[in-house]
Amino acid sequence: MRHLVTRARETGVEVSALDAHIRHLTAVVPPDAVAHIRRDLADAALQMMERNMNVEICAANEFRL
């Protein structure tokens, strides 16, 4: 299993999740462990990643490397 860690939700995490998706890798995003500028855009980005890229959304304390 490979892991990628990034910080900015609206852009950085979304682009990283897309990269994982096109490479057929699993992406997990803990929303409570990444930064955002606007909550509404962050929530929209999470929904889009979950629906369109099969990203798993889970709390940071549930995520295991």
Side-chain angles (χ1 to χ4, degrees):
M1 177 180 254
R2 297 179 186 172
H3 304 289
L4 175 66
V5 179
T6 187
R7 298 183 274 174
R9 184 181 304 172
E10 289 95 342
T11 55
V13 173
E14 193 172 339
V15 171
S16 297
L18 178 59
D19 187 45
H21 180 71
I22 63 173
R23 295 171 193 274
H24 306 286
L25 301 171
T26 301
V28 179
V29 176
D32 57 330
V34 293
H36 61 83
I37 298 167
R38 288 182 43 189
R39 169 61 70 192
D40 60 331
L41 295 178
D43 291 341
L46 283 170
Q47 280 187 338
M48 186 280 303
M49 289 185 282
E50 189 172 34
R51 288 182 190 162
N52 299 334
M53 294 184 255
N54 299 318
V55 169
E56 181 183 338
I57 308 297
C58 72
N61 66 348
E62 297 173 1
F63 178 73
R64 300 286 176 242
L65 292 176

